[in-house]
Amino acid sequence: MDKLLVATNNPGKIREYRELLEGLPETVDITFPAQEGIDLEVEESGDTFAENARIKATAYAQASGLLTLADDSGLEVDALDGAPGVRSARYAGPGATDADRYRKLLAELAGIPPGQRAARFRCVVALALPEGPTYTADGTCEGEIGFTARGEHGFGYDPVFIVEGYGGKTLAELGPEEKNRISHRARAVEAALPTLRQLLELGS
């Protein structure tokens, strides 16, 4: 059986990846660092999502000896010159919760009117072999930042991100199945799947 290591211990991402990768052959065992006994802290020192995704994928592939998928993703807000960007997970400082981060974002955008709060989620997926090259694919989800948090689904900035073309709903108001059709991570994984299938065939 082929193994694919998905380099995340984030519970929300684990749930999404299990669903997003359901289309892979049944012979592929999707595993995560905790299942493999891998305790690795990787410094995300890149200036772009692609650099950080490659850094993580390479580090976990070398530590595990497995084909590895890693991503870096975040929120880009036009009115904040693209912030929080690659610092999305660290936007409110160490130890901050998801709610801390989106409340800080709403505070930063106080006074910015509707129509000027355009934003997008961006995700870059990297695939790395233990001793080989890395491959990347990216996806985006366009929308705008609302004024209050709404919805019970998702994680991160989902409750304040109003999805373009969905009647004013936030990403957190969409069910998991719907989100996994249109999210930035879903689109990045979809773009990466042809390369991922080729790499799995090479390793079998």
Side-chain angles (χ1 to χ4, degrees):
M1 179 172 282
D2 294 319
K3 264 192 178 183
L4 171 66
L5 176 67
V6 179
T8 184
N9 287 312
N10 179 306
K13 284 189 178 184
I14 287 173
R15 284 194 301 273
E16 287 191 6
Y17 271 115
R18 287 195 186 281
E19 294 175 11
L20 292 172
L21 296 169
E22 275 183 346
L24 291 176
E26 292 182 2
T27 54
V28 178
D29 179 18
I30 298 167
T31 187
F32 299 89
Q35 290 177 261
E36 299 299 317
I38 298 170
D39 183 12
L40 189 63
E41 287 291 331
V42 180
E43 183 181 358
E44 297 178 14
S45 55
D47 294 324
T48 66
F49 295 123
E51 288 176 10
N52 283 335
R54 286 192 196 100
I55 288 168
K56 283 192 283 189
T58 300
Y60 276 94
Q62 291 175 350
S64 66
L66 299 172
L67 171 62
T68 298
L69 182 154
D71 78 36
D72 194 34
S73 59
L75 181 68
E76 300 173 338
V77 182
D78 291 351
L80 300 179
D81 297 322
V86 294
R87 296 187 63 253
S88 292
R90 306 181 294 278
Y91 189 48
T97 65
D98 285 349
D100 294 331
R101 286 185 278 274
Y102 69 63
R103 285 173 187 147
K104 175 178 169 65
L105 179 68
L106 293 178
E108 293 281 347
L109 290 173
I112 303 296
Q116 297 179 32
R117 300 168 73 92
R120 72 207 45 82
F121 276 117
R122 187 179 301 278
C123 177
V124 176
V125 162
L127 300 168
L129 293 162
E131 297 179 0
T134 60
Y135 306 85
T136 60
D138 63 271
T140 59
C141 180
E142 298 286 339
E144 65 180 1
I145 304 303
F147 289 86
T148 58
R150 304 196 315 268
E152 302 297 326
H153 303 290
F155 58 97
Y157 296 93
D158 290 357
V160 298
F161 183 83
I162 297 173
V163 190
E164 185 176 86
Y166 277 76
K169 287 184 177 181
T170 69
L171 208 49
E173 289 178 300
L174 302 181
E177 186 175 330
E178 196 166 17
K179 177 184 176 182
N180 284 341
R181 285 199 302 270
I182 57 96
S183 77
H184 54 307
R185 187 165 293 109
R187 288 169 174 163
V189 169
E190 183 180 11
L193 277 175
T195 301
L196 176 56
R197 289 192 177 101
Q198 287 181 344
L199 293 173
L200 287 167
E201 287 175 8
L202 287 173
S204 60

